[in-house]
mmCIF file of all heavy atoms in Angstrom:
data_model
loop_
_atom_site.group_PDB
_atom_site.id
_atom_site.type_symbol
_atom_site.label_atom_id
_atom_site.label_comp_id
_atom_site.label_asym_id
_atom_site.label_seq_id
_atom_site.Cartn_x
_atom_site.Cartn_y
_atom_site.Cartn_z
ATOM 1 N N VAL A 451 -18.392 -41.631 -4.885
ATOM 2 C CA VAL A 451 -19.775 -42.101 -4.950
ATOM 3 C C VAL A 451 -20.629 -40.993 -5.573
ATOM 4 O O VAL A 451 -20.750 -39.906 -5.016
ATOM 5 C CB VAL A 451 -20.308 -42.416 -3.530
ATOM 6 C CG1 VAL A 451 -21.704 -42.995 -3.594
ATOM 7 C CG2 VAL A 451 -19.357 -43.349 -2.802
ATOM 8 N N GLU A 456 -27.532 -44.081 -4.151
ATOM 9 C CA GLU A 456 -26.522 -44.570 -3.212
ATOM 10 C C GLU A 456 -26.225 -43.477 -2.169
ATOM 11 O O GLU A 456 -26.126 -43.750 -0.972
ATOM 12 C CB GLU A 456 -25.254 -44.962 -3.988
ATOM 13 C CG GLU A 456 -24.125 -45.530 -3.126
ATOM 14 C CD GLU A 456 -24.435 -46.916 -2.561
ATOM 15 O OE1 GLU A 456 -25.474 -47.493 -2.917
ATOM 16 O OE2 GLU A 456 -23.630 -47.411 -1.735
ATOM 17 N N ILE A 460 -26.733 -43.740 1.883
ATOM 18 C CA ILE A 460 -25.668 -43.512 2.869
ATOM 19 C C ILE A 460 -26.122 -42.462 3.884
ATOM 20 O O ILE A 460 -26.040 -42.664 5.105
ATOM 21 C CB ILE A 460 -24.367 -43.051 2.172
ATOM 22 C CG1 ILE A 460 -23.817 -44.177 1.283
ATOM 23 C CG2 ILE A 460 -23.328 -42.592 3.189
ATOM 24 C CD1 ILE A 460 -22.648 -43.772 0.387
ATOM 25 N N MET A 482 -18.857 -44.769 11.977
ATOM 26 C CA MET A 482 -18.625 -44.589 10.548
ATOM 27 C C MET A 482 -18.189 -45.929 9.930
ATOM 28 O O MET A 482 -18.587 -46.275 8.818
ATOM 29 C CB MET A 482 -17.495 -43.573 10.308
ATOM 30 C CG MET A 482 -17.940 -42.134 10.329
ATOM 31 S SD MET A 482 -18.832 -41.758 8.812
ATOM 32 C CE MET A 482 -19.705 -40.310 9.338
ATOM 33 N N LEU A 485 -21.150 -48.278 9.795
ATOM 34 C CA LEU A 485 -21.997 -47.867 8.675
ATOM 35 C C LEU A 485 -21.411 -48.377 7.364
ATOM 36 O O LEU A 485 -22.122 -48.918 6.507
ATOM 37 C CB LEU A 485 -22.116 -46.334 8.651
ATOM 38 C CG LEU A 485 -22.752 -45.689 7.416
ATOM 39 C CD1 LEU A 485 -24.250 -45.991 7.358
ATOM 40 C CD2 LEU A 485 -22.540 -44.168 7.422
ATOM 41 N N SER A 486 -20.098 -48.233 7.225
ATOM 42 C CA SER A 486 -19.435 -48.687 6.005
ATOM 43 C C SER A 486 -19.688 -50.174 5.789
ATOM 44 O O SER A 486 -20.080 -50.607 4.708
ATOM 45 C CB SER A 486 -17.932 -48.442 6.090
ATOM 46 O OG SER A 486 -17.679 -47.095 6.382
ATOM 47 N N LEU A 489 -23.119 -51.095 4.642
ATOM 48 C CA LEU A 489 -23.484 -50.777 3.258
ATOM 49 C C LEU A 489 -22.559 -51.387 2.217
ATOM 50 O O LEU A 489 -22.646 -51.076 1.034
ATOM 51 C CB LEU A 489 -23.529 -49.244 3.091
ATOM 52 C CG LEU A 489 -24.550 -48.528 3.984
ATOM 53 C CD1 LEU A 489 -24.469 -47.028 3.757
ATOM 54 C CD2 LEU A 489 -25.962 -49.016 3.704
ATOM 55 N N TYR A 491 -19.056 -51.355 2.297
ATOM 56 C CA TYR A 491 -17.765 -50.646 2.116
ATOM 57 C C TYR A 491 -16.777 -51.178 3.150
ATOM 58 O O TYR A 491 -17.209 -51.637 4.220
ATOM 59 C CB TYR A 491 -17.945 -49.138 2.316
ATOM 60 C CG TYR A 491 -18.791 -48.486 1.249
ATOM 61 C CD1 TYR A 491 -20.181 -48.646 1.242
ATOM 62 C CD2 TYR A 491 -18.206 -47.689 0.263
ATOM 63 C CE1 TYR A 491 -20.967 -48.058 0.274
ATOM 64 C CE2 TYR A 491 -18.992 -47.088 -0.712
ATOM 65 C CZ TYR A 491 -20.376 -47.274 -0.701
ATOM 66 O OH TYR A 491 -21.127 -46.668 -1.663
ATOM 67 N N ALA A 492 -15.506 -51.099 2.820
ATOM 68 C CA ALA A 492 -14.503 -51.608 3.755
ATOM 69 C C ALA A 492 -14.374 -50.698 4.971
ATOM 70 O O ALA A 492 -14.473 -49.478 4.847
ATOM 71 C CB ALA A 492 -13.153 -51.722 3.059
ATOM 72 N N HIS A 508 -14.515 -47.594 0.488
ATOM 73 C CA HIS A 508 -14.070 -47.736 1.880
ATOM 74 C C HIS A 508 -14.650 -46.627 2.753
ATOM 75 O O HIS A 508 -15.360 -45.739 2.256
ATOM 76 C CB HIS A 508 -12.546 -47.777 1.961
ATOM 77 C CG HIS A 508 -11.890 -46.572 1.340
ATOM 78 N ND1 HIS A 508 -11.921 -45.345 1.914
ATOM 79 C CD2 HIS A 508 -11.215 -46.454 0.161
ATOM 80 C CE1 HIS A 508 -11.278 -44.489 1.150
ATOM 81 N NE2 HIS A 508 -10.854 -45.146 0.060
ATOM 82 N N VAL A 509 -14.271 -46.685 4.025
ATOM 83 C CA VAL A 509 -14.852 -45.752 5.018
ATOM 84 C C VAL A 509 -14.637 -44.282 4.605
ATOM 85 O O VAL A 509 -15.481 -43.431 4.855
ATOM 86 C CB VAL A 509 -14.287 -46.058 6.428
ATOM 87 C CG1 VAL A 509 -12.765 -45.859 6.463
ATOM 88 C CG2 VAL A 509 -14.949 -45.200 7.488
ATOM 89 N N GLY A 510 -13.512 -44.016 3.926
ATOM 90 C CA GLY A 510 -13.229 -42.641 3.486
ATOM 91 C C GLY A 510 -14.272 -42.155 2.485
ATOM 92 O O GLY A 510 -14.675 -40.986 2.494
ATOM 93 N N ASP A 511 -14.720 -43.060 1.622
ATOM 94 C CA ASP A 511 -15.729 -42.668 0.627
ATOM 95 C C ASP A 511 -17.055 -42.372 1.315
ATOM 96 O O ASP A 511 -17.797 -41.477 0.909
ATOM 97 C CB ASP A 511 -15.912 -43.787 -0.397
ATOM 98 C CG ASP A 511 -14.594 -44.107 -1.103
ATOM 99 O OD1 ASP A 511 -13.848 -43.149 -1.398
ATOM 100 O OD2 ASP A 511 -14.301 -45.310 -1.324
ATOM 101 N N ILE A 512 -17.324 -43.125 2.345
ATOM 102 C CA ILE A 512 -18.563 -42.915 3.105
ATOM 103 C C ILE A 512 -18.525 -41.553 3.800
ATOM 104 O O ILE A 512 -19.454 -40.754 3.704
ATOM 105 C CB ILE A 512 -18.735 -44.050 4.156
ATOM 106 C CG1 ILE A 512 -19.046 -45.380 3.476
ATOM 107 C CG2 ILE A 512 -19.782 -43.700 5.189
ATOM 108 C CD1 ILE A 512 -20.450 -45.512 2.951
ATOM 109 N N SER A 513 -17.388 -41.288 4.487
ATOM 110 C CA SER A 513 -17.352 -40.010 5.214
ATOM 111 C C SER A 513 -17.338 -38.823 4.245
ATOM 112 O O SER A 513 -17.850 -37.758 4.562
ATOM 113 C CB SER A 513 -16.199 -39.965 6.210
ATOM 114 O OG SER A 513 -14.980 -40.133 5.540
ATOM 115 N N THR A 514 -16.788 -39.047 3.048
ATOM 116 C CA THR A 514 -16.828 -37.961 2.062
ATOM 117 C C THR A 514 -18.270 -37.620 1.678
ATOM 118 O O THR A 514 -18.633 -36.447 1.566
ATOM 119 C CB THR A 514 -16.016 -38.337 0.800
ATOM 120 O OG1 THR A 514 -14.657 -38.511 1.191
ATOM 121 C CG2 THR A 514 -16.098 -37.265 -0.266
ATOM 122 N N VAL A 515 -19.058 -38.635 1.530
ATOM 123 C CA VAL A 515 -20.472 -38.377 1.171
ATOM 124 C C VAL A 515 -21.148 -37.546 2.270
ATOM 125 O O VAL A 515 -21.826 -36.558 1.991
ATOM 126 C CB VAL A 515 -21.226 -39.708 0.929
ATOM 127 C CG1 VAL A 515 -22.731 -39.458 0.822
ATOM 128 C CG2 VAL A 515 -20.705 -40.379 -0.333
ATOM 129 N N ILE A 516 -20.913 -37.946 3.510
ATOM 130 C CA ILE A 516 -21.517 -37.204 4.634
ATOM 131 C C ILE A 516 -20.979 -35.769 4.645
ATOM 132 O O ILE A 516 -21.724 -34.799 4.781
ATOM 133 C CB ILE A 516 -21.162 -37.867 5.996
ATOM 134 C CG1 ILE A 516 -21.476 -39.359 5.988
ATOM 135 C CG2 ILE A 516 -21.814 -37.134 7.151
ATOM 136 C CD1 ILE A 516 -22.939 -39.706 6.073
ATOM 137 N N ARG A 517 -19.667 -35.652 4.466
ATOM 138 C CA ARG A 517 -19.026 -34.347 4.486
ATOM 139 C C ARG A 517 -19.619 -33.427 3.395
ATOM 140 O O ARG A 517 -20.006 -32.295 3.663
ATOM 141 C CB ARG A 517 -17.525 -34.518 4.236
ATOM 142 C CG ARG A 517 -16.706 -33.249 4.290
ATOM 143 C CD ARG A 517 -15.294 -33.482 3.751
ATOM 144 N NE ARG A 517 -14.574 -34.585 4.396
ATOM 145 C CZ ARG A 517 -13.882 -34.460 5.524
ATOM 146 N NH1 ARG A 517 -13.774 -33.308 6.119
ATOM 147 N NH2 ARG A 517 -13.263 -35.497 6.038
#
Side-chain angles (χ1 to χ4, degrees):
V451 184
E456 181 70 5
I460 295 172
M482 276 286 161
L485 169 70
S486 306
L489 300 178
Y491 293 75
H508 56 73
V509 62
D511 302 320
I512 290 285
S513 60
T514 297
V515 169
I516 309 286
R517 183 192 306 275

